[in-house]
Amino acid sequence: MVLNRRLEESEGPPTLEDTQAQLAYLIAGTDVFYSLFCGAAIFLMQCGFAMLCAGSVRQKNVKNIMLKNLLDACGGALGFWAVGFSLAYDSGGAFVGTEGTKFFLNGYDNYIDFFFQFTFAATAATIVAGTVAERCKMSAYLCYSIFLTAFVYPVVVHAIWNGEGFMSAFADDKFLGVGMIDFAGSGVVHMTGGITALCAAIVLGPRLGRFYDEDGNVLDTPVDFPAHSVALQVLGTFILWFGWYGFNPGSTLSISPENYGAI
């Protein structure tokens, strides 16, 4: 660290200003590392979803569902980096950010902030993967991943997590007089992903051969599609469980302020 070298080269003991500056560097670095670790744990949930989905489908569809989970991470990153992050966290509007200062990051250099928020966006997108398993084309799923992270999810984020959003509890004109607080994304992330999954299930309908035969006639007894691997299901569940230890605590966005460790 430059500050350390300067202190070592200085004559005499460090001044109070030097100590305060070094403490500020230490606090900032600790908060960055905290967000990096929590973001990495959240991103690991992509692996958990992939394992859970792979274990829940038939063996012939394992490659397909694994690739869809990969597309969530890749397509979601592109959509959120290009458009979504700016719509969500720019100022200037109650519905979406209108300043346009963060499109393609556009000189925004707080990369740890972008990374942490991206992991939330990717989680919202990948919730849908299990719902559309064995019943959605790859190209359609890629378009969905990009569209959700670039346009749908950012609107919800801006409305609730941006201080200028129309539903934010921190807005000047609070929604219904109180606004909405969502600490770790139960509504912003999981409700958005869940409602999107419900819409996708309604549009796509059941898997072919599950309730209807090839001619469209209703089957007397639904065909059972057994899970491919209970081991992968359990592995995915434990990985998701671990990811929650980044999801909820990491939502403080820092660890240095007083009593943040208690959260």
Side-chain angles (χ1 to χ4, degrees):
M1 184 185 295
V2 175
L3 180 60
N4 282 335
R5 289 198 299 269
R6 187 167 64 83
L7 290 176
E8 292 172 358
E9 295 171 356
S10 62
E11 296 181 0
T15 63
L16 178 61
E17 290 75 13
D18 290 336
T19 303
Q20 290 175 335
Q22 189 168 21
L23 181 60
Y25 273 109
L26 179 60
I27 291 174
T30 301
D31 287 340
V32 168
F33 180 77
Y34 176 73
S35 294
L36 180 62
F37 172 78
C38 291
I42 298 169
F43 190 73
L44 185 63
M45 295 177 77
Q46 298 289 324
C47 178
F49 279 113
M51 295 299 101
L52 181 60
C53 291
S56 301
V57 301
R58 290 168 290 177
Q59 186 174 5
K60 68 176 184 178
N61 292 314
V62 170
K63 291 182 180 179
N64 180 275
I65 194 66
M66 294 288 278
L67 183 56
K68 285 177 181 176
N69 277 272
L70 183 62
L71 289 179
D72 271 325
C74 299
L78 290 174
F80 197 65
W81 165 73
V83 179
F85 186 65
S86 183
L87 295 182
Y89 291 104
D90 257 336
S91 58
F95 189 70
V96 294
T98 58
E99 283 191 343
T101 60
K102 295 182 176 69
F103 289 121
F104 302 94
L105 295 188
N106 196 26
Y108 184 75
D109 59 359
N110 191 352
Y111 299 121
I112 188 62
D113 178 43
F114 169 77
F115 169 71
F116 188 80
Q117 299 302 334
F118 151 68
T119 60
F120 274 55
T123 301
T126 201
I127 289 173
V128 184
T131 305
V132 302
E134 301 186 305
R135 57 171 74 90
C136 180
K137 289 184 177 179
M138 198 71 64
S139 56
Y141 192 82
L142 176 60
C143 291
Y144 141 77
S145 294
I146 296 175
F147 186 79
L148 181 80
T149 54
F151 300 104
V152 179
Y153 173 77
V155 172
V156 183
V157 170
H158 188 86
I160 299 173
W161 280 346
N162 191 306
E164 297 183 4
F166 71 94
M167 293 185 67
S168 174
F170 305 102
D172 294 333
D173 184 15
K174 295 179 176 58
F175 182 69
L176 297 180
V178 293
M180 177 179 176
I181 294 178
D182 185 349
F183 172 67
S186 60
V188 174
V189 178
H190 303 289
M191 184 185 69
T192 301
I195 291 177
T196 305
L198 176 62
C199 295
I202 293 173
V203 171
L204 294 174
R207 288 173 285 185
L208 297 177
R210 179 87 164 97
F211 301 105
Y212 303 91
D213 61 20
E214 295 180 355
D215 298 324
N217 301 314
V218 179
L219 298 172
D220 295 332
T221 303
V223 177
D224 186 26
F225 290 166
H228 161 244
S229 172
V230 175
L232 288 178
Q233 289 177 313
V234 174
L235 175 62
T237 300
F238 273 110
I239 294 175
L240 290 172
W241 188 344
F242 176 81
W244 281 110
Y245 295 125
F247 214 108
N248 287 7
S251 295
T252 61
L253 302 180
S254 60
I255 191 63
S256 60
E258 185 178 3
N259 293 326
Y260 270 36
I263 297 177

